[in-house]
Each structure stands twice: as C-alpha cells, then as structure tokens.
C-alpha cells in the first residue's frame, strides 16, 4: 500500500498519540522504568560508596543503570498490543513504517523522561562530574537514540513470545552492546576533557549505529510486524 510522506507522518503521529494517552492512563512503563532506576541507583550508591569508585567505573555504572532501566519498560510498547489483542486492528489501520516510527518516538520520549530524572540523581548521589558538558550531552543524546531504536525493533520481535521480559533483555544486550560500550567510553572522556573532538570516534560510532539501526528497522519491520 503506497501512501504519501504526509500521510505516513500523520499515521505515525496518531500511533504516538494513542500510546501517550494509554501510558497517561496506566503509567505502567514510566513507573516501571523510574522505580527500577531509582532502586538500582540507591543500591549501587550504598554498595560502592560515593567516593569509592573511579570516574571510569562511575561512567560504566551510569550506562548500566540506563540500559537495564530501559529494559524494564520499553518492551511494553508492543507487548501491550498483543495482550489487549489490538495488534491485528493496528495492522489494518496503519502501514508498518508508521507503526514503527510512532512507537519509536514514544520509546525515545519515554527514555528521555527517564534520563531527566536519573542523570541528575546519579550525578548527585555518586558525586559524579564531567569536564566536557557538551560532549556528555551529545553522547547521551546519540546513545538514547540508538538504545530506543534497538529496543523498539526487539520489542516487536519478542512481543508474541511467552517469556517476553526475560527474552527481551537477552536479545537486547548483544544488539545494544556497541551503544553501551561507546557510551561508557565517551562519558569517560567527557569526565576529563572538555573538547568535543576528543570523543569524535565515540560520537561517530553512536551516530552510525543509530542511522543503521533506524534504517534497518524501517526496512525489516514490515516482515517482523506481519509475521
């Protein structure tokens, strides 16, 4: 079914708006992500202490908290459609590309909300500081883009499985590992260096990963969604 770009954007917006309204009513994903993140952060801070870890360790802990917090809630975007038996209706009303884009944007917004809460809390609790603030935010933004895109397509793949929660994390970790590694490395560089060029390799890797995953997901989502 051929549709115009304007119609594609409109359909994607309708799906995003539907998911926002559903999340506003239930607050399932937001509560799951934020609760997991806060509990994990408090547990980590009590375990290693505020001054007991090097900046490199703290950089790794930040991305580990972000990754596993995302895993606790981002899969729900497609699982909810299967549990409420609305997936078939959605297949009839919108083209697969619009479905992916709408749900990807929703996951990206959800991930950004989590970061708004978790990142400042992490800085305060762990006594963490960065020299290159701009570098850190670029790394964080590109990492969020890659994690959200990867999590969205994986959520669609596992939505029909019986053990959705465990399978989601198992499949997501090897696929999203490049984002975690580049994010940790870029954050560690931002701790000591203020220049954006110092983390150019990590920025290029995160940008390339996001472009490849988003493009590949759009091309393959038709087969995943209609399977």
């Amino acid at each position: 079914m051929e549709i115009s770009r304007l119609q594609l954007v409109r359909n994607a917006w309708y799906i995003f708006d539907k998911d926002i309204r559903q999340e506003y009513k239930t607050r399932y994903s937001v509560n799951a992500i934020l609760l997991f993140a806060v509990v994990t952060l408090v547990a980590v801070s009590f375990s290693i202490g505020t001054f007991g870890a090097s900046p490199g360790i703290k950089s790794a802990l930040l991305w580990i908290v972000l990754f596993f917090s995302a895993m606790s809630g981002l899969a729900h975007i497609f699982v909810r459609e299967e549990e409420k038996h609305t997936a078939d209706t959605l297949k009839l009303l919108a083209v697969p590309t619009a479905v992916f884009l709408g749900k990807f944007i929703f996951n990206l917004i959800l991930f950004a909300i989590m970061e708004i809460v978790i990142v400042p809390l992490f800085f305060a609790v762990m006594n963490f500081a960065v020299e290159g603030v701009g570098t850190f935010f670029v790394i964080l933004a590109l990492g969020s883009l890659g994690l959200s895109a990867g999590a969205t397509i994986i959520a669609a793949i596992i939505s029909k499985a019986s053990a959705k929660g465990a399978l989601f994390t198992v499949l997501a970790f090897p696929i999203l590992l490049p984002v975690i590694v580049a994010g940790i490395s870029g954050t560690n560089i931002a701790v000591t260096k203020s220049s954006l060029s110092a983390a150019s390799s990590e920025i290029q890797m995160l940008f390339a990963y996001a472009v490849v995953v988003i493009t590949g997901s759009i091309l393959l989502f038709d087969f995943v969604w209609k399977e």
Side-chain angles (χ1 to χ4, degrees), residues 1 7-8 15 24 26 65 84 94 108 137 139 180 196 208:
M1 179 172 59
Q7 187 64 32
L8 179 65
I15 292 168
Y24 180 77
T26 63
V65 170
K84 293 187 175 182
L108 186 61
F137 280 113
I139 293 291
I180 301 172
L196 190 65

Side-chain angles (χ1 to χ4, degrees), residues 43-190:
V44 167
S45 65
F46 275 109
S47 298
I48 67 172
T50 305
F51 302 96
S54 65
I57 298 297
K58 292 179 181 179
S59 300
L61 288 174
L62 172 62
W63 282 93
I64 290 171
V65 170
L66 291 176
F67 170 76
F68 283 104
S69 299
M71 294 303 99
S72 67
L74 295 189
H76 192 64
I77 193 70
F78 282 104
V79 173
R80 178 169 52 202
E81 303 291 353
E82 296 295 333
E83 291 177 346
K84 293 187 175 182
H85 306 289
T86 56
D88 291 335
T89 304
L90 202 57
K91 291 174 184 177
L92 295 173
L93 296 177
V95 295
T97 302
V99 174
F100 173 79
L101 290 176
K103 293 187 177 294
F104 162 60
I105 295 170
F106 173 83
N107 271 349
L108 186 61
I109 297 297
L110 189 63
F111 197 81
I113 292 172
M114 179 194 72
E115 289 176 328
I116 291 172
V117 176
I118 294 304
V119 172
L121 191 60
F122 184 90
F123 273 60
V125 172
M126 300 299 296
N127 193 33
F128 188 58
V130 294
E131 188 73 22
V133 177
T135 302
F136 173 75
F137 280 113
V138 170
I139 293 291
L140 192 64
L142 291 175
S144 303
L145 198 64
L147 284 174
S148 300
T152 303
I153 188 65
I154 297 167
I157 294 172
I158 61 96
S159 61
K160 295 181 176 64
S162 56
K164 299 178 180 64
L167 190 60
F168 182 60
T169 306
V170 169
L171 284 179
F173 183 73
I175 295 174
L176 300 178
L177 185 60
V179 179
I180 301 172
V181 172
I184 293 171
S185 178
T187 303
N188 196 30
I189 291 173

